[in-house]
Amino acid sequence: MAKKFIDIMDTTFRDGFQSVFGGRVLMNDFFPAVEAAKTAGITHFEFGGGARFQSLYFYLREDAFEMMDRFREIVGPDANLQTLARGVNTVMLDTGSKELIDLHAKMFKKHGTTTIRNFDALNDVENLKYSGERIVHHGLKHEIVVTMMDLPPGCYGAHTVEFYEKTLREILDSGIPYNSICFKDASGTSNPQKVFETIQMARRLIPEGTHLRLHTHETAGVSVAAYMAALEAGVDGIDMAASPVSGGTSQPDILTMLHATKGMDYDLGGLEINKILTYEKELQFCLSDYFMPPEATMVSPIIPFSPMPGGALTANTQMMRDNNILDRFPEVIAAMTEVVEKGGYGTSVTPVSQFYFQQALNNVMQGPWNAIAPGYGKMVLGYFGKTPVAPDPEIVRIASEKLGLEPTTEKALDLANADESKSLSNWINKLKEENIEITEENIFIAAACHEKGIAFLKGEGELNVRKISDMKKEEGSSNMGNGSYTVVVDGQKFSVQVAEGNVDIQVTEVNGESVSPSTPKVVTTSGTQLDIKALLPGSVWKIVANPGQSVNEGDVILILESMKMEIDIVAPKGGVIKSINVATNDKVVEGQVVAVLG
């Protein structure tokens, strides 16, 4: 009797990179490993989309469309190249209009994509309808998704077999065109028995011959058991990655699954151990200079209490490292349980996983529910669709008050379509204002990545890759470059600006008062003046008010970017801006004085 053929998708170059390095891997560094994977007989790759679209523009100064083209050239015309999309968000920071959703499918088809895996973190089927239609319209295969996780202990109302059956029936009844169905657990928390029963349920419901897949992560330590349960229940495909970006926060290793299925009636993609060993050796060489975050290599028994996906976990810890607050990570993870419970049980997968993390970070750094992360607040207010269960009414009230928005039951697509800022004409005009060439690719890059997309297109993108060789050079250098730094003198912490030449600089005591200045640009605190401080570490994204300008209580003075959030720094009372103590793109620390109000 022939073994059942199981289709293997290699997630190394998309989810693997995202889960381990926060997506920050340069294309020329990993392309030799793509050649090795092809030689090893792999024909199905996840090669783009999701957060790996934005990360190229945010951190790598690389064009995702160019990367996709070159990837296709390496693997040839017959490989199944797959990307990840988030329903009405596609790969954008926010929900998209119909024009942008259509452009996403058109551009990804143009640049080598075969299949788009399409999910909605809330399992709101309304959010999959138009995106799925456009994917198929542009000649792509549509893999529609039901997202999964286990709820933290003591939480009930969603993420059961019955809940997934309800979602799957809605998909089947909706008429959305699809080629395959995937159950996706980004946090790797679904227990194997639930996986078994869910796949069995789906196999009974879907038409005979429908391709059925499971995607999970090793984050909670049960991924291999979950895959074995899925295989027994009748799944047709699973996702795996290659070492060193396998296991831990990523997918199970290809070799691990080949070993786990020895002697069983499954043929995992016709793959051979010796060829995979050669491929993994090449990949390890390609990535040998990349800093491997220790948390990326581990499984965590507490993840089911605070479900954090692998791709979001390391992306967030990398950002916390960049902002020197990694020591607060355990507190943030612990705070997620309440955030998930009160938020309506959206699946912990991008973008909802980021909303959970941002809100948990706010609760830790600024006190429980004193500040509402915009994404989390808009989610509980209904702006991204219907959550699996109703969010906590008190949190809805707080979010409405803090964000100045009323709850809504309108469809997310209708809201986005009515928003002029999400129209093609708006982004074409922005490109014209910046004297950037008008192409469909450039329009989508700008719409998907906003200011950072514009910066990339102007040749001003940020390069932020953690390589061991670069880190050693930094550790060995005693020279300080231009920019903002925090120094400690006699036990006191100060924020200082450093610049070459004979220029004015300022020194601000981080815990509150300005020190005696050497230039008139530094304002001392007096009884009639009020220091305005940064609530979180981050960088100055935009300065809104100017010295001498009158402001009212609540007016935005400047905006910080911290942990993928835009943090408004507002006037605590009416007055006149005496000074702005920072410049655009400056790094700031928690508690640093950024402006003085008189």
Side-chain angles (χ1 to χ4, degrees):
M1 180 179 173
K3 293 184 176 183
K4 179 179 179 180
F5 183 86
I6 304 298
D7 181 76
I8 300 304
M9 181 167 74
D10 183 352
T11 58
T12 297
F13 306 105
R14 209 293 303 175
D15 206 340
F17 286 172
Q18 181 63 31
S19 297
V20 175
F21 300 117
R24 306 184 198 185
V25 183
L26 297 162
M27 68 175 89
N28 286 335
D29 288 343
F30 74 81
F31 278 154
V34 178
E35 291 270 13
K38 176 187 176 184
T39 301
I42 295 173
T43 60
H44 187 181
F45 297 90
E46 188 179 43
F47 83 132
R52 260 293 284 182
F53 183 83
Q54 293 163 355
S55 65
L56 274 71
Y57 303 105
F58 282 16
Y59 305 116
L60 303 181
R61 294 180 185 164
E62 291 187 341
D63 183 359
F65 292 125
E66 178 190 350
M67 183 277 295
M68 294 161 66
D69 290 340
R70 292 178 62 187
F71 200 113
R72 171 59 77 185
E73 289 174 6
I74 293 170
V75 299
D78 298 326
N80 183 1
L81 296 187
Q82 189 159 320
T83 61
L84 187 67
R86 313 174 192 125
V88 290
N89 284 64
T90 63
V91 295
M92 295 181 285
L93 292 168
D94 198 355
T95 53
S97 65
K98 285 186 174 182
E99 290 178 326
L100 293 176
I101 291 170
D102 178 76
L103 186 59
H104 161 259
K106 182 179 181 181
M107 289 298 94
F108 275 58
K109 171 65 175 178
K110 177 181 177 181
H111 292 281
T113 304
T114 310
T115 304
I116 293 182
R117 175 178 287 174
N118 188 32
F119 73 91
D120 179 66
L122 303 181
N123 279 315
D124 185 342
V125 176
E126 282 295 331
N127 288 343
L128 298 172
K129 288 181 178 178
Y130 188 75
S131 54
E133 173 194 319
R134 302 322 291 169
I135 288 168
V136 173
H137 171 81
H138 286 287
L140 293 151
K141 294 181 178 179
H142 181 211
E143 183 163 283
I144 200 164
V145 175
V146 178
T147 57
M148 301 179 71
M149 70 175 184
D150 263 18
L151 294 178
C155 297
Y156 305 96
H159 292 287
T160 61
V161 177
E162 293 74 22
F163 172 75
Y164 300 136
E165 179 174 348
K166 174 178 174 291
T167 304
L168 181 56
R169 287 185 182 276
E170 289 180 11
I171 289 171
L172 297 175
D173 292 343
S174 70
I176 302 172
Y178 65 88
N179 301 89
S180 56
I181 296 172
C182 177
F183 285 85
K184 176 180 172 65
D185 184 347
S187 59
T189 54
S190 294
N191 68 82
Q193 181 61 29
K194 185 176 78 172
V195 168
F196 176 78
E197 293 176 7
T198 298
I199 297 299
Q200 274 199 331
M201 171 275 296
R203 186 52 78 199
R204 289 194 301 268
L205 281 185
I206 61 179
E208 187 175 352
T210 302
H211 185 81
L212 185 63
R213 303 189 68 86
L214 177 68
H215 168 95
T216 192
H217 287 243
E218 181 60 10
T219 325
V222 296
S223 66
V224 174
Y227 274 163
M228 299 302 287
L231 289 170
E232 185 180 351
V235 83
D236 300 305
I238 55 177
D239 298 350
M240 300 188 293
S243 177
V245 293
S246 58
T249 52
S250 183
Q251 279 71 60
D253 193 90
I254 300 170
L255 291 172
T256 298
M257 285 306 302
L258 288 173
H259 181 66
T261 54
K262 282 179 181 175
M264 304 181 75
D265 290 330
Y266 304 114
D267 174 3
L268 300 192
L271 301 179
E272 301 175 20
I273 289 176
N274 289 339
K275 291 181 179 180
I276 298 301
L277 279 167
T278 301
Y279 159 38
E280 293 201 351
K281 184 178 179 180
E282 177 64 28
L283 181 66
Q284 288 163 5
F285 176 77
C286 289
L287 300 177
S288 58
D289 195 27
Y290 281 80
F291 170 69
M292 180 76 70
E295 63 273 11
T297 65
M298 300 181 292
V299 298
S300 172
I302 67 167
I303 285 295
F305 295 83
S306 305
M308 172 53 64
L313 191 151
T314 51
N316 286 319
T317 55
Q318 291 285 57
M319 285 189 289
M320 294 187 83
R321 277 191 182 87
D322 292 342
N323 288 286
N324 297 313
I325 54 171
L326 187 59
D327 60 307
R328 310 300 296 271
F329 180 69
E331 297 174 69
V332 176
I333 286 295
M336 275 190 63
T337 299
E338 181 184 24
V339 170
V340 172
E341 183 176 8
K342 294 183 181 297
Y345 297 155
T347 314
S348 192
V349 60
T350 306
V352 169
S353 57
Q354 197 64 23
F355 299 162
Y356 287 155
F357 185 86
Q358 290 168 344
Q359 188 57 52
L361 180 72
N362 279 350
N363 286 358
V364 168
M365 303 296 289
Q366 303 183 57
W369 309 108
N370 286 335
I372 296 293
Y376 185 86
K378 291 178 72 176
M379 178 184 72
V380 300
L381 292 171
Y383 285 84
F384 299 128
K386 185 178 180 181
T387 54
V389 301
D392 183 275
E394 178 62 12
I395 301 305
V396 172
R397 183 193 68 76
I398 294 172
S400 180
E401 179 182 294
K402 296 283 188 183
L403 300 184
L405 293 171
E406 291 297 319
T408 183
T409 57
E410 287 192 61
K411 295 177 182 177
L413 180 59
D414 291 342
L415 290 168
N417 224 36
D419 187 343
E420 178 59 29
S421 70
K422 297 177 181 180
S423 67
L424 287 181
S425 60
N426 173 68
W427 290 104
I428 290 170
N429 288 335
K430 286 187 180 296
L431 294 181
K432 288 179 179 178
E433 290 170 6
E434 300 289 348
N435 294 316
I436 296 171
E437 182 183 4
I438 309 297
T439 67
E440 289 182 313
E441 285 84 355
N442 288 353
I443 294 168
F444 190 78
I445 291 167
C449 302
H450 293 195
E451 285 75 15
K452 289 191 175 183
I454 296 287
F456 166 82
L457 294 171
K458 293 170 66 177
E460 301 170 356
E462 180 183 7
L463 182 62
N464 190 347
V465 181
R466 286 185 172 269
K467 288 195 174 185
I468 297 168
S469 57
D470 293 335
M471 294 167 72
K472 288 180 178 178
K473 290 176 186 175
E474 291 171 6
E475 291 171 4
S477 173
S478 60
N479 296 323
M480 296 176 72
N482 294 348
S484 297
Y485 294 86
T486 300
V487 297
V488 177
V489 180
D490 293 332
Q492 288 185 291
K493 188 186 293 184
F494 297 90
S495 172
V496 300
Q497 291 183 350
V498 178
E500 294 180 1
N502 184 23
V503 296
D504 292 332
I505 64 171
Q506 63 183 34
V507 183
T508 305
E509 192 173 344
V510 172
N511 61 9
E513 297 182 359
S514 302
V515 300
S516 179
S518 59
T519 74
K521 285 195 174 182
V522 180
V523 179
T524 58
T525 303
S526 71
T528 61
Q529 295 177 339
L530 179 65
D531 291 340
I532 300 174
K533 305 173 185 177
L535 300 174
L536 293 170
S539 59
V540 179
W541 177 64
K542 186 176 184 179
I543 295 175
V544 178
N546 297 308
Q549 179 178 333
S550 295
V551 293
N552 298 316
E553 180 180 344
D555 284 355
V556 177
I557 296 173
L558 55 89
I559 303 172
L560 300 181
E561 181 185 58
S562 179
M563 304 297 294
K564 288 189 178 179
M565 293 184 288
E566 292 176 12
I567 309 295
D568 289 343
I569 304 298
V570 302
K573 65 176 185 178
V576 176
I577 301 295
K578 294 297 185 183
S579 71
I580 299 294
N581 295 29
V582 291
T584 302
N585 297 323
D586 277 358
K587 301 290 185 183
V588 300
V589 298
E590 179 189 358
Q592 178 177 337
V593 176
V594 295
V596 176
L597 184 67

